[in-house]
Amino acid sequence: MSLQILPNKFKIVGLFTFIIFCGIPSIISFFMGFTQPFESNENSPFIHELLHPTIMKYANILTILGMLVYMLSKEKVEDDYITKLRLESYQLATIICLATTLILHLINAEMMFNLSYPLYIFIIIFLMIFYFKKRQFH
């Protein structure tokens, strides 16, 4: 597979983007009690605007983009074995996500997912698998 991989310094950019655009809205939502921002009049105008659905949609997109940049960044030492581990991790993460989605739909056929949830799960599973496989190597 000849996938162009980003230089190693993009790992920091991807991780920073992920933390900012996932962490801040999550913390604000946590402290707001996961309430709908438009149902409560007690929210300050700043928080009210920050939790606007359009802004949250773009924050989700940037969170996924940040993790994608992190996933596609090279390791400090990128060799054939790391490339093989990366491909095995993609394959295993895809199988786990598809199986999980199938099982959830068999349990409840009317269940609907926001597109970002399976993407978050895929990214997290890939990163965990790749991390543990890489740790076995060293």
Side-chain angles (χ1 to χ4, degrees):
M1 179 174 163
S2 63
L3 178 65
Q4 289 292 338
I5 297 178
L6 301 169
N8 182 263
K9 59 186 164 189
F10 277 90
K11 277 194 176 294
I12 297 169
V13 172
L15 192 59
F16 184 73
T17 303
F18 171 76
I19 290 170
I20 293 298
F21 290 104
C22 179
I24 292 175
S26 298
I27 291 169
I28 291 171
S29 295
F30 178 77
F31 285 118
M32 296 301 293
F34 294 105
T35 60
Q36 292 292 332
F38 300 107
E39 293 177 4
S40 175
N41 292 329
E42 6 181 293
N43 296 339
S44 70
F46 174 73
I47 299 294
H48 183 74
E49 286 298 317
L50 192 60
L51 292 175
H52 192 275
T54 305
I55 293 174
M56 294 303 286
K57 179 178 133 182
Y58 289 123
N60 282 336
I61 290 170
L62 289 171
T63 300
I64 293 169
L65 184 64
M67 288 314 298
L68 185 61
V69 167
Y70 183 85
M71 286 171 55
L72 294 176
S73 298
K74 287 184 179 181
E75 298 296 313
K76 286 185 181 180
V77 177
E78 188 78 27
D79 58 2
D80 289 338
Y81 187 73
I82 294 292
T83 303
K84 181 181 177 229
L85 289 180
R86 187 183 307 274
L87 291 175
E88 288 176 1
S89 300
Y90 282 131
Q91 182 181 22
L92 194 54
T94 302
I95 290 169
I96 290 171
C97 282
L98 290 174
T100 303
T101 305
L102 178 66
I103 290 168
L104 289 174
H105 280 294
L106 289 174
I107 292 171
N108 184 356
E110 297 174 6
M111 187 179 296
M112 299 298 288
F113 293 109
N114 184 346
L115 180 59
S116 59
Y117 299 143
L119 290 174
Y120 286 142
I121 292 169
F122 175 80
I123 291 169
I124 290 168
I125 290 173
F126 166 78
L127 291 173
M128 288 174 32
I129 292 170
F130 186 67
Y131 173 78
F132 288 120
K133 281 183 171 274
K134 194 168 72 172
R135 294 292 279 189
Q136 286 178 346
F137 171 65
H138 293 294

